[in-house]
């Protein structure tokens, strides 16, 4: 099977079988690096890194050179025409006419999706704001698989800035799909965003439990755990006794502890660094003496700052430099596949813990916009051509998910384009939670950010509007 011309914008762009096949190819690349040196001869990779990077950029560029290809690069927005107000769609079209593949890192969430929509060549997301970083996830999974063979059934703790860290966002979807149990250990106020948790609990077959709500933070543990995601493969016939099942999971220890740094550049509103560091969990030898970490792989996407002490570097459980080194064979395999220089065999029946859901789409010329100020669809240079687009992920309550950044909208007022039939006097808006509103077909749905907006667009309240 060929993966030629595919994009990797989100980790969900690759199925479990495709990821496994990519890992087998990465093994091949690592075992016989010399034999790969002509695979991508004549191909050019555009390396566009508009945020700081060491590992991701240099491993991608090395990977392309090791495959016999060449690299063109731009690493400073200020030195490109984006600084003159050019849109990223125009940039994508232009770069797409020079190169054979684009690797992009950009501070706006959803930027890689836009580049993929316009470039006409394969695009790899090397990190878009706080959103996703799928190739880091490939390195992480590859490391876990190398050390522990299978991912299914493992208990993985995610630690630190779960709110802004894009690596953990891509990682949890992959871990859930592969059947791991996930423990959430956020720094204070840095919990996994609600939209990520909702997706986890609706689109995968496991079960999410919030420890805070259950008022059961285990006292004796050093773990600042606040939620747990149990897969169907977890031994939780105890599900009816959630307190016990969580205690059982904790006692069993963790197979990997995935540490992340405080993303100080992404905090909104800007908070003093000292304030933020207060209470940020630090992983050191003392913590890792705990029984629950006896067999734990200590992982980190790097760079580290203060959250993981240097004394850990000589500990055999520490994996972070291996993770970075695996970036080379993994990215070589990815480039070779997307450039069509290699093909893979995918098992016919794939083992996945994801549910396939085809959500209806909400897209209108005017009206609601994504509420995330960092979403690509809200940027001055991009609003000229990007039409906000959402997936309708729930009708009760009504929830729309931005297709660019995954942030959610919870509109309170809606109308139907069918029922008012263009007649002004029939233009009525309703409360989104009324039974009447729920009957509106997705293709006829009109949503309003507020009553004011509904009225500004000449809609009048119906008897199904709560005032
Ligand atoms: C991460 C990133 O850029 O998101 N680094 C990386 O690519 N390995 C993690 C981080 O910056 O904290």
């Amino acid at each position: 099977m060929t993966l030629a011309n595919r994009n990797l914008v989100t980790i969900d762009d690759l199925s479990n079988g495709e990821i496994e096949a990519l890992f087998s190819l990465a093994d091949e690349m690592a075992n016989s690096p010399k034999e790969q040196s002509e695979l991508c001869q004549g191909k050019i990779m555009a390396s566009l890194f508009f945020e700081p990077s060491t590992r991701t950029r240099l491993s991608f560029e090395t990977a392309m050179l090791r495959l016999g290809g060449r690299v063109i690069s731009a690493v400073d927005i200020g030195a490109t025409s984006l600084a003159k107000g050019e849109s990223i769609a125009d940039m994508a079209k232009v770069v797409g006419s020079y190169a054979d593949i684009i690797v992009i890192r950009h501070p706006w969430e959803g930027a890689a999706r836009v580049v993929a929509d316009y470039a006409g060549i394969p695009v790899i997301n090397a990190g878009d704001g706080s959103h996703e970083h799928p190739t880091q996830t490939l390195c992480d999974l590859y490391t876990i698989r190398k050390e522990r063979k299978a991912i299914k059934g493992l208990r993985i703790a995610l630690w630190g800035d779960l709110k802004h860290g894009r690596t953990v966002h891509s990682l949890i979807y992959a871990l859930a799909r592969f059947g791991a149990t996930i423990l959430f250990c956020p720094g204070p106020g840095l919990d996994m965003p609600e939209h990520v948790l909702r997706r986890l609990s609706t689109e995968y077959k496991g079960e999410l439990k919030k420890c805070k709500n259950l008022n059961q933070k285990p006292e004796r543990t050093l773990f600042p755990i606040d939620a747990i995601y149990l897969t169907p493969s977890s031994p939780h016939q105890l599900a009816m006794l959630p307190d016990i099942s969580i205690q059982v999971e904790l006692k069993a220890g963790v197979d990997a502890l995935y540490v992340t740094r405080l993303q100080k550049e992404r905090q909104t509103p800007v908070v003093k660094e000292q304030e933020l560091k207060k209470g940020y969990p630090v992983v050191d030898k003392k913590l890792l003496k705990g029984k629950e970490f006896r067999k734990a792989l200590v992982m980190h996407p790097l760079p580290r700052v203060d959250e993981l002490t240097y004394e850990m570097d000589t500990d055999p459980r520490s994996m972070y430099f291996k993770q970075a080194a695996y970036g080379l064979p993994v990215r070589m395999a990815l480039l070779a596949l997307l450039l069509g220089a290699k093909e893979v065999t995918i098992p016919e029946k794939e083992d996945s813990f994801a549910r396939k859901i085809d959500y209806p789409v909400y897209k209108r010329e005017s009206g609601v916009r994504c509420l995330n100020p960092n979403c690509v669809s809200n940027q001055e240079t991009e609003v000229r051509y990007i039409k906000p687009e959402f997936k309708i992920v729930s009708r009760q309550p009504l929830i729309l998910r931005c297709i660019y950044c995954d942030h959610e909208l919870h509109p309170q007022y809606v109308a139907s384009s069918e029922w008012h039939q263009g007649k002004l006097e029939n233009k009525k808006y309703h409360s989104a939670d009324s039974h009447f509103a729920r009957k509106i077909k997705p293709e006829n749905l009109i949503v309003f950010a507020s009553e004011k907006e509904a009225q500004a667009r000449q809609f009048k309240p119906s008897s199904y509007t709560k005032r």
Side-chain angles (χ1 to χ4, degrees):
M1 177 180 171
T2 178
L3 302 188
N5 299 320
R6 295 257 298 264
N7 300 309
L8 179 60
V9 170
T10 146
I11 192 65
D12 282 347
D13 286 337
L14 290 174
S15 69
N16 286 13
E18 288 164 350
I19 292 176
E20 291 289 359
L22 185 146
F23 288 166
S24 303
L25 185 58
D27 289 342
E28 197 182 310
M29 300 274 171
N31 293 337
S32 54
K34 293 229 167 66
E35 283 163 37
Q36 322 302 332
S37 65
E38 291 176 7
L39 263 185
C40 293
Q41 223 168 35
K43 301 281 186 193
I44 293 179
M45 178 184 96
S47 169
L48 311 176
F49 276 77
F50 301 132
E51 266 194 343
S53 174
T54 305
R55 275 150 294 274
T56 309
R57 176 177 158 221
L58 296 183
S59 62
F60 261 118
E61 295 187 359
T62 312
M64 191 59 179
L65 297 175
R66 290 247 182 253
L67 293 168
R70 290 195 235 181
V71 177
I72 53 172
S73 61
V75 291
D76 174 11
I77 286 191
T80 70
S81 286
L82 294 177
K84 301 177 188 171
E86 182 171 50
S87 67
I88 53 177
D90 283 0
M91 178 206 65
K93 280 188 209 157
V94 172
V95 179
S97 69
Y98 302 154
D100 300 289
I101 191 161
I102 294 177
V103 180
I104 178 150
R105 171 171 287 189
H106 197 287
W108 294 338
E109 295 171 31
R113 153 98 41 234
V114 176
V115 175
D117 286 347
Y118 287 89
I121 57 172
V123 171
I124 299 173
N125 180 6
D128 57 337
S130 299
H131 183 219
E132 280 214 40
H133 190 349
T135 66
Q136 180 62 46
T137 293
L138 294 177
C139 301
D140 302 336
L141 296 179
Y142 187 71
T143 309
I144 300 173
R145 226 202 44 161
K146 280 249 169 240
E147 300 295 322
R148 294 282 182 267
K149 306 291 175 265
I151 293 159
K152 186 170 162 181
L154 295 183
R155 278 177 302 275
I156 318 269
L158 304 182
W159 185 276
D161 191 345
L162 308 187
K163 185 171 178 190
H164 306 99
R166 55 193 171 200
T167 63
V168 283
H169 297 162
S170 297
L171 184 58
I172 62 162
Y173 301 135
L175 290 176
R177 260 166 50 187
F178 277 98
T181 285
I182 310 166
L183 295 95
F184 298 87
C185 312
L190 299 168
D191 304 11
M192 197 55 92
E194 275 304 315
H195 67 269
V196 177
L197 293 180
R198 187 180 339 273
R199 183 157 157 199
L200 192 63
S201 53
T202 51
E203 294 180 19
Y204 302 87
K205 294 177 185 161
E207 210 181 328
L208 183 75
K209 295 180 184 298
K210 296 232 177 131
C211 299
K212 269 182 200 152
N213 293 351
L214 296 167
N215 193 23
Q216 53 169 20
K217 264 193 174 179
E219 273 161 26
R220 216 189 42 79
T221 180
L222 293 156
F223 246 136
I225 182 171
D226 89 331
I228 186 165
Y229 173 82
L230 298 159
T231 62
S233 62
S234 304
H236 71 299
Q237 57 281 51
L238 298 162
M240 287 170 300
L241 301 164
D243 299 27
I244 296 176
S245 73
I246 287 182
Q247 298 297 348
V248 166
E249 288 294 334
L250 284 177
K251 278 220 183 83
V254 293
D255 297 285
L257 178 63
Y258 191 93
V259 189
T260 59
R261 90 184 152 91
L262 175 70
Q263 306 275 307
K264 64 173 192 233
E265 69 277 30
R266 303 194 201 285
Q267 309 293 325
T268 45
V270 179
V271 188
K272 278 213 188 90
E273 202 179 331
Q274 276 326 96
E275 275 304 304
L276 281 168
K277 279 189 178 165
K278 253 193 240 161
Y280 196 84
V282 173
V283 170
D284 56 12
K285 268 213 147 84
K286 190 169 159 239
L287 174 84
L288 290 168
K289 277 207 178 100
K291 279 209 300 303
E292 56 269 61
F293 301 114
R294 203 162 47 87
K295 297 179 301 173
L297 305 172
V298 180
M299 302 181 70
H300 195 306
L302 300 178
R304 75 173 138 185
V305 194
D306 298 316
E307 66 288 346
L308 177 62
T309 58
Y310 279 74
E311 60 183 6
M312 283 311 300
D313 294 2
T314 50
D315 190 297
R317 291 168 292 182
S318 293
M319 289 294 131
Y320 29 96
F321 291 114
K322 265 194 189 171
Q323 265 168 279
Y326 287 145
L328 188 57
V330 166
R331 291 181 171 114
M332 280 172 79
L334 179 65
L335 290 171
L337 287 172
L338 301 190
L339 285 168
K342 278 276 186 188
E343 294 201 351
V344 279
T345 313
I346 314 285
E348 255 175 44
K349 200 177 162 311
E350 290 192 27
D351 195 10
S352 172
F353 290 90
R355 298 175 206 277
K356 181 115 193 63
I357 308 177
D358 280 323
Y359 293 116
V361 170
Y362 182 85
K363 187 175 185 180
R364 294 211 168 255
E365 285 301 311
S366 57
V368 289
R369 303 202 69 88
C370 177
L371 294 176
N372 173 12
N374 203 34
C375 176
V376 67
S377 70
N378 283 326
Q379 308 308 316
E380 201 184 324
T381 45
E382 318 303 314
V383 289
R384 300 174 196 135
Y385 66 96
I386 296 182
K387 306 256 174 302
E389 189 172 336
F390 303 87
K391 286 180 185 162
I392 305 172
V393 297
S394 162
R395 284 305 292 260
Q396 191 186 3
L398 180 60
I399 303 176
L400 269 51
R401 181 193 295 156
C402 173
I403 64 141
Y404 295 101
C405 71
D406 285 332
H407 279 234
E408 289 178 351
L409 270 184
H410 298 223
Q412 300 301 309
Y413 299 99
V414 301
S416 166
S417 61
E418 189 187 43
W419 295 338
H420 64 67
Q421 293 166 335
K423 284 194 201 139
L424 208 62
E425 68 270 26
N426 292 337
K427 286 174 85 172
K428 295 274 170 61
Y429 66 92
H430 327 279
S431 291
D433 60 359
S434 63
H435 75 91
F436 189 74
R438 291 200 294 273
K439 285 200 201 131
I440 302 172
K441 290 194 200 109
E443 60 272 27
N444 296 327
L445 191 69
I446 301 172
V447 311
F448 305 107
S450 61
E451 271 203 277
K452 216 166 130 202
E453 188 204 318
Q455 287 161 6
R457 290 173 59 190
Q458 275 93 48
F459 285 80
K460 293 195 179 69
S462 75
S463 50
Y464 298 100
T465 309
K466 274 190 227 135
R467 310 308 306 277

